[in-house]
Amino acid sequence: MSQFFENVGRRVLDSVAGIGFALAMFVSAIIGKPQPRKSWPLFIKQMYVVGVLSMVIIIVSGLFIGMVLGLQGYTILVDYGAEQSLGPMVALSLLRELGPVVTGLLFAGRAGSALTAEIGLMKATEQLSSLEMMAVDPLRRVIAPRFWAGLISMPLLALMFSAVGIYGGYLVGSGWLGVDEGAFWSVMQSAVDWQDDLLNGVIKSIVFAFVVTWIALYKGYRAVPTSAGISAATTSTVVTASLAVLGLDFILTAIMFGG
Amino acid sequence: MTQLVELKDVHFAHGDRPLYNGLSLTVPKGKVIAVMGPSGIGKTTLLKLIGGQLKPNKGSIKVAGEEVPKLNRDKLYELRKRMSMLFQSGALFTDMSVFDNVAFPLREHTELSEDIIRSVVLMKLEAVGLRGARDLMPSELSGGMARRAALARAIALDPDIIMYDEPFAGQDPISMGVIVKLIKSLNQSLGLTSIVVSHDVKEVLSIADYAYVIADKKVVGEGTPDELRNNDTDIIKQFLQGNADGPVAFHYSNDDFTTDLLGGEK
């Protein structure tokens, strides 16, 4: 029994220490004299790796999810003669929920795992150590550009996801199933609110971007530098980041739309 | 003679496992110092202690008169610009060509123009014989070439001290000879101070001015290579001659084999 409490205690202590370390890491990576001449090219490169290269999976997924929404929504709404509402249904589901959440999940799988594996491997091959010995702070050099790239690119990806998804819903709903095109767009425009829907969705995606990117970087930086350790860290990134996205989504939804 | 690196009574433990109990050694300026010892006694840790990547539990580590564990981040980084380390794996940045790897410390720490950087990089690459390999990526280099490229990067900023972590490990005889020659000649031509951590006794003693043997958590023997070869202590003899059993036991644990087989200790 005492063994049990000891284990629980140790786990709690470890996770608190982990959070503390992640915070300290965050502070020293982000805060400090900006060096635009050096950091800018690194940031641009990471924007490409983290953001641009994730576009394919985001756009394809967005299109299909939008098309499925159109199809499912139509079959349900048409029973009530409410197929005119297909536009707002598709747009609101995407902007409020599916855009940020699914992008967060895909981003954790596509970019988060890559970040963790890359940094873990840099650690295993002593590249991080060697940066330190060359008097270059790996937090500033390696972590910071990836962090900013993730933080900025994921909300943009989420917007792309929603936009493409809405277009997918339009293709199916209007192009295939025959919802009136004018009604689809105009009902959507009157139903979607700039601040309540779009802005809240963007805020959600910024929060998810922060959490997913940070988890990925932290897991990589703290990975046990062996092949098994990096594999475990990568898995842990995807699992932790996905759960964090889903959990936070509930909390944010409750705050934004609950009241 | 001035001492560039001075360790006094250093205690260090990795978690619960003590690595050093009162380790002391000094590195005079301009010399090649060898630190030898069996695998797993934390020779790499020693270099990380000197470089300030790890902090000792007790004791003093001075580099160029500065107490390394007590330096703040900025001072430590300033000091690190004067030392460099050649990692066992080379630790080249895999996403950059050899040229960019060598140029990296120059671009980070100096305001030199690209023209001058190019000349410096080519000079350093010429010194290690890899000027022709400048456009290759680290993945295209052989192990020996990678280590030489890393050496070129390590001397790019003309450091005062260079620390070699197992520079001969896993090298074929030819590249081993090349690296031995390079360490010696760089030490002389650039006026460096070198600390070579290695267990390749023959190679490292052929270039060292002075050598330390670490075992059992502290320095067990020291002297010039000749003095060490004539040293009568059992452990030094065992280490230099490579005997399988001796003070450093062949068996990891020494409980009785028969009782263990018969399931005596469950």
Side-chain angles (χ1 to χ4, degrees), chain A:
Chain A
M1 197 61 184
S2 72
Q3 183 75 37
F4 170 75
F5 283 114
E6 205 180 307
N7 284 339
V8 171
R10 180 163 305 132
R11 287 216 153 191
V12 171
L13 282 182
D14 281 353
S15 51
V16 171
I19 293 171
F21 185 86
L23 268 176
M25 209 176 118
F26 173 68
V27 170
S28 40
I30 305 310
I31 294 172
K33 196 172 66 187
Q35 299 167 302
R37 193 176 58 87
K38 280 178 201 158
S39 340
W40 190 249
L42 294 171
F43 168 72
I44 295 295
K45 186 175 168 213
Q46 289 308 320
M47 279 298 279
Y48 177 75
V49 174
V50 170
V52 176
L53 292 184
S54 301
M55 272 171 64
V56 175
I57 187 175
I58 293 294
I59 286 174
V60 173
S61 315
L63 187 68
F64 275 99
I65 286 186
M67 288 184 348
V68 168
L69 274 177
L71 203 53
Q72 290 277 18
Y74 180 83
T75 52
I76 295 168
L77 291 173
V78 79
D79 287 346
Y80 304 96
E83 68 269 25
Q84 307 277 321
S85 304
L86 186 65
M89 199 217 94
V90 170
L92 290 180
S93 336
L94 281 166
L95 287 172
R96 285 183 176 187
E97 285 299 329
L98 291 174
V101 172
V102 178
T103 306
L105 297 177
L106 291 173
F107 190 77
R110 162 67 182 74
S113 58
L115 286 175
T116 305
E118 187 190 16
I119 292 172
L121 209 57
M122 286 176 91
K123 188 178 178 186
T125 53
E126 295 178 313
Q127 293 183 47
L128 294 182
S129 256
S130 111
L131 274 176
E132 249 180 67
M133 285 306 294
M134 278 190 258
V136 176
D137 189 345
L139 289 175
R140 301 288 304 280
R141 168 93 198 177
V142 176
I143 301 291
R146 286 167 174 77
F147 171 74
W148 290 116
L151 189 69
I152 292 168
S153 61
M154 210 206 96
L156 296 175
L157 290 170
L159 282 177
M160 274 179 221
F161 185 97
S162 300
V164 173
I166 289 169
Y167 188 70
Y170 159 77
L171 279 184
V172 168
S174 191
W176 178 20
L177 300 170
V179 176
D180 181 62
E181 193 179 327
F184 184 90
W185 291 116
S186 63
V187 180
M188 184 195 299
Q189 278 173 20
S190 61
V192 175
D193 185 74
W194 172 254
Q195 193 177 349
D196 279 351
D197 303 315
L198 191 66
L199 188 66
N200 277 340
V202 171
I203 291 174
K204 268 188 180 178
S205 62
I206 292 175
V207 174
F208 297 162
F210 177 86
V211 171
V212 171
T213 315
W214 200 253
I215 288 175
L217 295 172
Y218 170 75
K219 296 277 181 193
Y221 201 71
R222 292 280 280 201
V224 180
T226 59
S227 27
I230 292 169
S231 135
T234 313
T235 309
S236 165
T237 290
V238 177
V239 172
T240 318
S242 305
L243 291 178
V245 164
L246 296 170
L248 277 171
D249 181 50
F250 179 77
I251 296 172
L252 288 173
T253 306
I255 295 171
M256 288 167 173
F257 306 104

